[in-house]
Amino acid sequence: MATINDNYLKLKAGYLFPEIARRVAVFAEANPDAPIIKLGIGDVTEPLPEACRTAMVEAVKDMGDRDQFKGYGPEQGYLWLREKVAQHDFQSRGCDIDASEIFISDGSKCDCGNILDIFGSNNSIAVTDPVYPVYVDTNVMAGHTGPVNEKGEYGGLTYLPINAENAFTASIPNEKVDLIYLCFPNNPTGAVASKEHLQAWVNYARAHGSIILFDAAYEAFITDPAIPHSIYEIEGARDCAIEFRSFSKNAGFTGTRCALTVVPKTLMGKAADGSDVALHGLWNRRQSTKFNGVSYIVQRGAEAVYSPEGQAQTKALIDFYMENARIIREQLTAAGIAVYGGVNAPYVWVKTPNDLTSWDFFDKLLHSCHVVGTPGSGFGAAGEGYFRISAFNSRENVNEAMRRVTEKFRA
Ligand SMILES: *Cc1c(COP(=O)(O)O)cnc(C)c1O
């Protein structure tokens, strides 16, 4: 019989979101009239910007016209989109990134996982705790870890705790790690990193020959002008960092699918014979072999994000979610609950009141307020005692959920 990749058997059973769904289903079955509001999963709720829809409709028309029809496109994405990304997202912020260093893809989640294809199997790997589970699980699948312990930590990974004491930014490790995953603005904590903090990571990476895998999926939610949007705003980052970006959260493309990864041409890794090899060429080879590009229609939709109308409409979308975040922060604070994040990110990270565990607070909120959030412990052992509330929802739902929570918790 064919054998399987046994590394999959190391993955923790009962993944976070299925367990949330199970508890909600049990409660809903017993309380069919309870009006449940879900502030849990990190998916957007508002429709696609009109500029993007109009561009996609035009692109559909192209596909019906023999002269304009597009078959396979470049695996790296169309140059007209890559040039707009390079100019608007990077060069306008002083980042030395060329269109040829940008790879358009169908998602940052995929890219964060697929990037491991071009790295060796003996790298030491650091993640923050709590963390976006994709970084950890893809390393488990690739056989880069040992088994999981009862706290949910995998052997062989370096966990860097982030908590209120260190403002949710990890301390630079003393020992050398080869690959470091950083996500700013952070999911799940909503924290951001200052220029100085990122400079310290870049300095560390360059001193140790490490590579930073920088996930900037939420950069558009930054409101503080002093906070960097890209790792390439940091001196030296071209030589030590790959950046992931997505149209999912800024333009509501979670169901439409478009993202991008930046691999600078100056970024090197070591081959077994000790020589330096450019990662750009390896990623290009990987994508050309295993990926056939994002649909023309979707890339035209993404391009429209950079038009004046698209810029205004995506800004309005982000402002809408950030107003939700403000309401959540203020209402929870008024109810005497400590909150973090939610200022430069669409997530509010809540310290559970009365030292409740994350899951006890989840049950309490579900049963007494009919509000669903995400237990912090699901993002890692150091997330215990915290809880994530997402600002991705209608204003009506956010107001109603906060009304119920403040009524319940206000002393
Ligand atoms: C939502 C999200 C992404 C984007 O994923 P896509 O596959 O592009 O939709 C990337 N990283 C983090 C941390 C996210 O929360």
Side-chain angles (χ1 to χ4, degrees):
M1 195 185 283
T3 61
I4 60 151
N5 177 350
D6 276 88
N7 294 313
Y8 279 61
L9 304 180
K10 290 184 204 157
L11 292 165
K12 258 181 301 177
Y15 176 66
L16 179 61
F17 290 106
E19 176 59 17
I20 292 172
R22 191 190 66 76
R23 292 193 191 204
V24 173
V26 168
F27 177 78
E29 172 126 349
N31 304 275
D33 297 329
I36 296 173
I37 297 178
K38 294 183 180 169
L39 299 177
I41 296 180
D43 196 359
V44 298
T45 54
E46 302 309 299
L48 282 180
E50 190 188 345
C52 301
R53 284 182 281 126
T54 305
M56 285 193 275
V57 169
E58 285 307 310
V60 170
K61 287 182 192 152
D62 288 346
M63 295 302 263
D65 174 342
R66 200 166 196 295
D67 293 330
Q68 293 302 321
F69 171 78
K70 305 285 186 295
Y72 290 125
E75 290 96 346
Q76 302 81 1
Y78 285 102
L79 198 55
W80 36 259
L81 176 56
R82 301 165 83 197
E83 278 172 348
K84 293 221 166 61
V85 172
Q87 207 244 307
H88 288 261
D89 288 337
F90 296 102
Q91 291 158 10
S92 73
R93 293 192 173 276
C95 306
D96 175 21
I97 294 296
D98 186 74
S100 63
E101 297 175 309
I102 290 164
F103 295 83
I104 305 297
S105 80
D106 60 352
S108 272
K109 179 170 162 177
C110 333
D111 288 353
C112 288
N114 292 335
I115 200 74
L116 293 177
D117 270 15
I118 65 169
F119 289 106
S121 50
N122 292 319
N123 289 314
S124 51
I125 294 156
V127 292
T128 62
D129 179 9
V131 68
Y132 181 52
V134 175
Y135 315 146
V136 172
D137 289 359
T138 53
N139 275 291
V140 176
M141 291 170 171
H144 296 167
T145 74
V148 72
N149 68 16
E150 67 290 341
K151 284 165 76 187
E153 297 164 336
Y154 289 91
L157 287 186
T158 299
Y159 288 91
L160 308 171
I162 52 175
N163 46 44
E165 286 70 51
N166 59 22
F168 302 97
T169 51
S171 338
I172 313 279
N174 296 320
E175 72 275 24
K176 164 180 162 329
V177 289
D178 300 307
L179 294 178
I180 306 135
Y181 290 85
L182 293 180
C183 175
F184 288 113
N186 189 256
N187 177 11
T189 67
V192 286
S194 67
K195 214 165 186 150
E196 294 69 32
H197 183 70
L198 292 180
Q199 187 70 63
W201 273 114
V202 165
N203 294 348
Y204 168 90
R206 294 185 73 194
H208 293 91
S210 327
I211 288 175
I212 297 170
L213 301 171
F214 191 78
D215 186 341
Y218 295 96
E219 60 77 29
F221 294 84
I222 292 172
T223 54
D224 179 347
I227 298 295
H229 287 237
S230 167
I231 189 77
Y232 304 115
E233 290 178 50
I234 308 304
E235 180 81 46
R238 274 186 62 86
D239 301 324
C240 66
I242 289 174
E243 181 164 307
F244 304 99
R245 289 231 180 169
S246 176
F247 294 93
S248 283
K249 311 294 162 47
N250 65 338
F253 272 49
T254 54
T256 307
R257 313 304 304 142
C258 198
L260 58 109
T261 290
V262 184
V263 187
K265 289 181 174 163
T266 46
L267 183 61
M268 298 288 164
K270 273 263 180 279
D273 68 4
S275 60
D276 287 351
V277 176
L279 293 172
H280 183 275
L282 299 186
W283 185 243
N284 189 42
R285 186 63 209 263
R286 191 267 169 214
Q287 289 299 79
S288 310
T289 303
K290 294 197 185 182
F291 184 59
N292 245 339
V294 176
S295 97
Y296 168 71
I297 298 162
V298 168
Q299 290 189 66
R300 282 293 186 204
E303 182 191 28
V305 165
Y306 301 101
S307 69
E309 305 76 39
Q311 291 285 287
Q313 290 162 13
T314 49
K315 181 176 183 305
L317 257 185
I318 290 159
D319 288 349
F320 173 80
Y321 292 126
M322 292 312 290
E323 175 65 8
N324 283 349
R326 189 190 63 78
I327 294 167
I328 294 166
R329 280 178 55 85
E330 289 190 0
Q331 294 293 305
L332 293 180
T333 305
I337 297 175
V339 297
Y340 304 93
V343 176
N344 294 291
Y347 298 116
V348 177
W349 190 239
V350 175
K351 182 78 196 76
T352 60
N354 308 319
D355 286 327
L356 290 175
T357 68
S358 298
W359 278 110
D360 284 348
F361 186 63
F362 173 91
D363 287 331
K364 183 159 184 170
L365 220 51
L366 175 60
H367 289 257
S368 61
C369 304
H370 310 152
V371 170
V372 180
T374 313
S377 55
F379 297 101
E384 181 58 270
Y386 290 94
F387 197 78
R388 190 189 76 177
I389 294 188
S390 159
F392 292 129
N393 219 306
S394 67
R395 184 62 43 75
E396 193 186 358
N397 277 350
V398 166
N399 280 331
E400 173 59 17
M402 289 306 112
R403 190 191 62 75
R404 293 183 202 163
V405 175
T406 44
E407 199 169 280
K408 179 74 196 166
F409 285 89
R410 203 189 291 270

